Amino acid sequence: MVESSIVVILFGSFIGLLLLGAPITVALGVSALVSFIYLDENPIKFVQIAFTSVGSFPLMALPAFILAGALMEAAGISRRLVNLAESFAGPVTGGISAAAVLACMFFGAISGSGPATTAAVGMLMIPAMVKRGYDKGYASAITASAGSLGIIIPPSIPMVIFGISAIGMVAPPEAVAKFGEFQTVSIPKLFIAGFAPGLIIATTLLVMNYVSCKRRGYHGTSDGWSSELIKKAFKDGFWSILAPLVILGGIYTGFFTPTESAIVAIFYTLFVGVFIHKELKLESIFHSLETTTWLSGRVLLILFTATVFGRLLVENQIPAIVAEAMLSITDSLYLIWAMIIAFLLFVGMFMETLAAIMILTPVLLPIAYSLGIDPIHFGIVVVCCLGIGFQTPPLGENLFIASGISGTSIEEISLRALPFAFASIVGVFIIAFFPDLTLFLPRLLGY
C-alpha cells in the first residue's frame, strides 16, 4: 500500500509540476522532497544523498569535455574538420550532405554533445549545402539528425552520466544465479563500446541521405574529386585530425582515464589554438569558460535532484515492480527490447537527455539485469535512443539550433527529419538485437 501511494505522490507531483511549467530540476527536487516528508524521513538525508551525487571523480570529466568542445570551436579545429569532410563530397549523389554526417562524426569525437555538434557543423555545412542547391529545410534536417552522433560517438557526456548513475548498482542475486556474473560498468568501457554503434547509426543516416538525395535530384559536383583540394584539407586539418586520435587513443589504450583525457584535450586545444592555428584569443577563452560554467551548472543541478529521485525509486522497489509487470506480458527478449526502445524514444521526445538517464537508469537497469542483458550494451542502447530525441519535436534541441542557423521553421525541419529519425531507429534495433556489435571492441581490448 505504501509502495503504490509513494509512486502516486512521487510521479504525480513530478508530472503535475512539469505540466505547470516548472523547470525539470525544480520538479524533480520538490517531488522527491514531498515524498521524503510523506515517508517521514529526515530531510537532511535528502541533502546528503544529493551532495554525494556531485562528489564523484568521473563527474570531473563533464565540465572538462564541455570546455574542450567549446575551445576547439574557438581554436578553428572544428572548422578544419568540417572542411576536410567537405573535400570528400565530390561527384557522389548527396555528397555534401553525406559530408555533413561525416563532419558530425569527427566533431562528435571531440565534443561529446549533440547540440554542440549541430551548432559547430551546421554553421558551416548548412550554408554550403544551400549554396549547392539544397533545400534549406533538408540541409537543416540532415545536420540536426547527424548532430545526435555527438552523444553516441565517444567521448560522450550522456555516457559519463549513465556510467555515474549505474556504477553503484549491482545485479540482483536472482539474475546472477540465472545468468552468471555481469561485467562492471565503467566509463572507459562505455566509450569503447560506443564506437561501433556510432558507425551503425551514421551508416543508416548515410543510406537514408543517399535515397532522399537521389529522389530530390541533389547531385554532386560535375568536376569529380579534387586530389589537390583533399591534400590541402588534410594539410590544414592535420592537427585537428590528431585531436580525436589523441583523446580516443589515450582512452582505448588505457594510457589515461576519460577524466584525464578531457584535461589532455583542453591543453592540446590551447596549444594548437595559440601556437599553431593562432586563432584562439583571450576573449574566446573567457567565452568558452562562461559556456562551460553555464552548462555544467545546469547539468549538476539536474544530477543533484535526479539522484535523490532515483534513490527513492530503488528503495521503494519500483524497478522490481516495473520488471515484473513487463515480464508478465511476455518473456520474449526481443519484444521487451521493443517495449524499452519505444518507451525511451517517447521519453526522449519530452525530457532532457541527461535528466532522463538519471531518472530511468535506476528503473530500467534492474530490468536489463533480470533479462540477462549486459549493462554496457544496455547503456549504449539507452544513449542511442535518447540521442534520437535531439532530432524529434517537441523538445529536439538540435532542431532549434538548425532552425536558428538556417532561418527555417521548426515544423518544416521536423517534417524533413522524420525519415532520418526512422533510419536511426532501425539502427537502434540492430544494435539492441545484436549485442556483439557493441561488445566486441571492449572484449578485443581486454575489458
Side-chain angles (χ1 to χ4, degrees):
M1 183 66 185
V2 175
E3 283 173 2
S4 59
S5 59
I6 196 65
V7 170
V8 172
I9 290 167
L10 187 64
F11 283 100
S13 54
F14 174 64
I15 293 166
L17 285 163
L18 285 180
L19 291 173
L20 288 171
I24 194 160
T25 307
V26 173
L28 285 167
V30 171
S31 57
L33 188 58
V34 168
S35 302
F36 261 85
I37 293 165
Y38 173 78
L39 292 167
D40 204 25
E41 296 263 15
N42 188 340
I44 197 70
K45 185 182 174 185
F46 177 101
V47 180
Q48 287 169 339
I49 295 168
F51 184 76
T52 307
S53 71
V54 294
S56 62
F57 176 72
L59 195 59
M60 287 172 63
L62 182 69
F65 275 127
I66 294 170
L67 179 57
L71 286 171
M72 281 175 183
E73 195 172 347
I77 288 176
S78 58
R79 177 167 50 79
R80 285 169 173 82
L81 287 173
V82 170
N83 289 341
L84 177 62
E86 193 179 349
S87 71
F88 285 104
V92 178
T93 297
I96 191 148
S97 46
V101 177
L102 294 176
C104 286
M105 285 179 65
F106 285 148
F107 192 73
I110 54 178
S111 79
S113 162
T117 300
T118 304
V121 175
M123 290 291 285
L124 299 160
M125 291 304 286
I126 291 174
M129 281 187 267
V130 172
K131 195 176 171 185
R132 294 267 188 102
Y134 280 65
D135 173 71
K136 270 188 183 181
Y138 184 84
S140 303
I142 182 68
T143 308
S145 302
S148 302
L149 294 169
I151 70 164
I152 302 169
I153 298 284
S156 159
I157 293 168
M159 283 182 197
V160 172
I161 297 300
F162 179 85
I164 291 163
S165 303
I167 281 168
M169 297 181 67
V170 294
E174 55 272 21
V176 174
K178 188 175 179 181
F179 300 105
E181 288 291 333
F182 291 85
Q183 68 171 319
T184 55
V185 176
S186 75
I187 293 166
K189 280 186 203 172
L190 286 163
F191 279 6
I192 294 165
F195 189 73
L199 291 178
I200 291 166
I201 300 286
T203 303
T204 62
L205 292 174
L206 287 169
V207 170
M208 182 57 73
N209 173 65
Y210 179 81
V211 172
S212 300
C213 287
K214 192 92 172 166
R215 186 164 52 84
R216 291 168 180 271
Y218 295 152
H219 302 296
T221 57
S222 55
D223 306 331
W225 279 287
S226 166
S227 57
E228 285 302 313
L229 188 65
I230 293 171
K231 273 185 204 169
K232 186 177 183 303
F234 258 114
K235 189 180 174 185
D236 291 346
F238 174 75
W239 292 96
S240 301
I241 298 164
L242 277 184
L245 293 178
V246 167
I247 296 167
L248 298 179
I251 296 169
Y252 287 6
T253 55
F255 196 71
F256 37 67
T257 67
T259 305
E260 291 163 349
S261 76
I263 306 301
V264 169
I266 290 168
F267 281 100
Y268 177 84
T269 306
L270 288 170
F271 173 77
V272 172
V274 174
F275 297 107
I276 295 170
H277 294 166
K278 297 179 181 176
E279 292 180 23
L280 194 59
K281 309 298 180 192
L282 198 60
E283 187 185 342
S284 303
I285 294 172
F286 281 124
H287 179 67
S288 299
L289 287 167
E290 188 182 321
T291 303
T292 304
T293 305
W294 185 84
L295 284 174
S296 300
R298 180 176 156 218
V299 172
L300 289 174
L301 275 172
I302 295 171
L303 179 64
F304 202 78
T305 50
T307 303
V308 186
F309 193 93
R311 182 71 69 87
L312 277 166
L313 293 176
V314 174
E315 286 180 356
N316 289 281
Q317 303 295 310
I318 293 167
I321 295 165
V322 175
E324 197 177 319
M326 289 184 80
L327 291 169
S328 67
I329 298 168
T330 177
D331 58 358
S332 165
L333 180 61
Y334 297 110
L335 281 175
I336 290 173
W337 257 131
M339 285 192 284
I340 290 172
I341 290 168
F343 174 66
L344 287 168
L345 291 170
F346 177 76
V347 169
M349 289 170 65
F350 296 96
M351 191 178 288
E352 202 271 338
T353 304
L354 302 182
I357 290 171
M358 287 180 274
I359 295 166
L360 295 176
T361 299
V363 179
L364 296 178
L365 190 56
I367 297 171
Y369 280 131
S370 67
L371 294 165
I373 297 169
D374 183 275
I376 298 294
H377 176 220
F378 183 74
I380 297 300
V381 174
V382 168
V383 171
C384 289
C385 286
L386 294 173
I388 294 170
F390 281 118
Q391 67 193 73
T392 51
L395 190 65
E397 290 176 69
N398 290 3
L399 299 176
F400 286 97
I401 290 167
S403 171
I405 293 168
S406 66
T408 312
S409 70
I410 293 288
E411 291 78 14
E412 187 182 341
I413 298 173
S414 301
L415 197 63
R416 301 277 198 282
L418 284 177
F420 297 110
F422 173 76
S424 299
I425 291 166
V426 170
V428 168
F429 273 98
I430 292 169
I431 294 160
F433 288 173
F434 301 98
D436 284 341
L437 294 171
T438 301
L439 299 173
F440 86 93
L441 195 55
R443 285 174 189 152
L444 190 69
L445 294 173
Y447 280 89

